[in-house]
Each structure stands twice: as C-alpha cells, then as structure tokens.
Amino acid sequence: MLLDALINSERFEEAAGFLEKLQGDGVDANWLAFKWLNLMRMRGNREGVMSTLHEVMNLPPGDPAMLEMLADQDAADGDHAHAISLVDRVLKARPAHLPSLSRKALLLARVNRWQEAIGLQRQVVERLPFNPLPINNLAWMLAKAPRECGGDPAEAVGLAERACALTLNETPNALDTLAEALLAKGLKSRAVSVTKKAIAIKEKLPRPDAGKGATLESLKRRLEEATKPQSRERES
C-alpha cells in the first residue's frame, strides 16, 4: 500500500528507493518486476521498461515472458492493438500456451472483438475445465458482450458461480465477475450482496489492490452506483 501510494502521488524517487530495498530483501521477482514497470509507466519512461525487465528478471529481449509483460503495459496504457501484436509473437513461438491464449482473448474483448474473444476463451476453458481463472474470464466476457456479439448473461452467471465455487467464494475478482453477470441478467439485489462480500474480503487483505482485477475503490464505486436507483425509489 505504501509503495502504491508513493507511485500514485508521483513521489518516484522514494518509490524507486523502496523497490530497491525490496529487491535486496528477496521479494518475489514477478511482483517486483510488475511494480518496477508500473513506476516506469507512471514516469512516462517507456525506454526504461525493457531495461527494467532485463535487470530485475534477467529476461533477454524477445523472451516470451518479457513480451507478455510489455503487452500488459501496453494494455494498461490503452494501446491494445500493439499489445495483441506482442501476444501474437508469443503465440507464434508457443502456439499451445494457454495463458497466452487467454491473455489474447481478454485483449480482444477490450477492443470489442467479442466473438473472437469468446471463441478463443472457450478453447482455454475446454482444456482447463477446473481452472477458475479462465472460467472467470469467459464469464466476464459473456456478461459484458452484447447479445448480438455472443453475450449470454445466463451462461455468464453459471460460469461465474462455478469459478466462485472453485475458489471457495473467497476470491474478490471471481465475486466481482459474478456480480457483473448478475447485473447483466437483471438480478440487481443479489449483485449488490455479492459486491459487498467482495469488498469485505478486499478490505481484509494486506495489499487489497495488488495484482490484476477490480480495485477496492472501483468495487465501492460500483456498489454506490448500483444502489442509487433504490435510494431514489425509496425517496419518491
């Protein structure tokens, strides 16, 4: 939380010093690299991204892991087209790499290429039927996509419930997807209840916004928006 606060408040030198200390303490290299990349992105230092990956994770240029991290950064910057091209390079080298297939599906969804995204994500789920992450991703796509583009709120709810069951209903991101699916299906009161549970779990985490998925703030904002109509109805 302190590190994110330093980066978000543009206290970049302090954040860099904090990261260097963590690096010396043997913190997980993947988590550390992601934070370095976030710092470089906030600084507007695109050139520093490649050297950061090389120095922190010892990844050579063109390494699939480096390309995927760069793709994540491009996506965070809104350059989804370039991110997709980077993942395509990974898939050319590793065509059956399921995490990369799933990453491409999510990127396609971000640019509203829903049918391609859903079709690709279904392939991943078929090969990983008990992995909650690809199941959750497919549920999100089916909840967000327009019906004419393959959206199916009812299937989305079923898949999201499956992902939640596989994670013992204790993973905020899976609960968030279930809430999205429930809203898409018109089950607003249940969606509100699920969102509240996701927020309660997030608030107990030492780093609630670490990793990917909805932030604690975005969950609270969504809850507020979801309950506004109910408040107006009670007032009228």
Side-chain angles (χ1 to χ4, degrees):
M1 289 296 289
L2 172 61
L3 176 59
D4 291 333
L6 289 172
I7 293 174
N8 292 332
S9 61
E10 299 186 1
R11 293 161 64 182
F12 298 133
E13 294 304 321
E14 292 176 73
F18 192 67
L19 279 168
E20 287 171 1
K21 181 180 183 302
L22 291 175
Q23 190 171 341
D25 291 342
V27 172
D28 177 73
N30 287 310
W31 181 86
L32 193 62
F34 181 81
K35 293 301 180 182
W36 271 114
L37 288 171
N38 189 38
L39 174 59
M40 291 293 172
R41 184 170 61 85
M42 291 290 287
R43 271 178 160 173
N45 184 6
R46 288 287 298 177
E47 293 75 16
V49 170
M50 295 281 285
S51 60
T52 297
L53 284 169
H54 177 70
E55 291 170 10
V56 176
M57 297 190 70
N58 200 27
L59 294 175
D63 184 276
M66 175 180 275
L67 293 174
E68 289 184 333
M69 287 193 175
L70 289 172
D72 287 344
Q73 288 303 302
D74 279 336
D77 291 338
D79 191 352
H80 296 97
H82 192 251
I84 291 170
S85 72
L86 290 173
V87 176
D88 280 337
R89 286 174 60 187
V90 175
L91 289 170
K92 187 174 181 180
R94 304 187 300 190
H97 191 238
L98 298 180
S100 298
L101 288 171
S102 192
R103 179 180 269 102
K104 182 177 180 180
L106 285 169
L107 289 168
L108 290 169
R110 294 295 183 187
V111 293
N112 298 323
R113 291 165 62 179
W114 292 109
Q115 291 175 323
E116 294 172 77
I118 291 168
L120 199 57
Q121 193 64 32
R122 284 194 190 279
Q123 293 178 37
V124 179
V125 171
E126 286 170 4
R127 295 163 71 178
L128 296 172
F130 301 107
N131 187 321
L133 183 56
I135 295 170
N136 182 72
N137 289 346
L138 180 56
W140 175 81
M141 292 174 195
L142 291 167
K144 297 297 286 185
R147 289 182 184 272
E148 62 271 19
C149 296
D152 188 335
E155 185 183 2
V157 170
L159 286 167
E161 288 176 334
R162 186 168 143 201
C164 287
L166 286 167
T167 54
L168 304 177
N169 291 297
E170 294 178 354
T171 302
N173 288 343
L175 291 166
D176 179 43
T177 299
L178 177 56
E180 288 264 18
L182 290 165
L183 278 175
K185 197 180 177 184
L187 302 174
K188 190 171 184 179
S189 60
R190 190 179 165 204
V192 167
S193 175
V194 171
T195 302
K196 287 179 179 178
K197 182 171 183 177
I199 290 171
I201 294 172
K202 275 257 191 190
E203 288 178 330
K204 293 178 182 177
L205 297 176
R207 296 202 310 268
D209 293 334
K212 301 177 182 179
T215 64
L216 181 59
E217 182 182 350
S218 67
L219 285 171
K220 288 181 176 179
R221 189 164 55 247
R222 188 177 304 158
L223 178 62
E224 183 180 353
E225 291 171 358
T227 53
K228 275 182 181 177
Q230 293 179 349
S231 299
R232 285 197 294 267
E233 287 171 9
R234 283 195 298 268
E235 291 168 3
S236 60

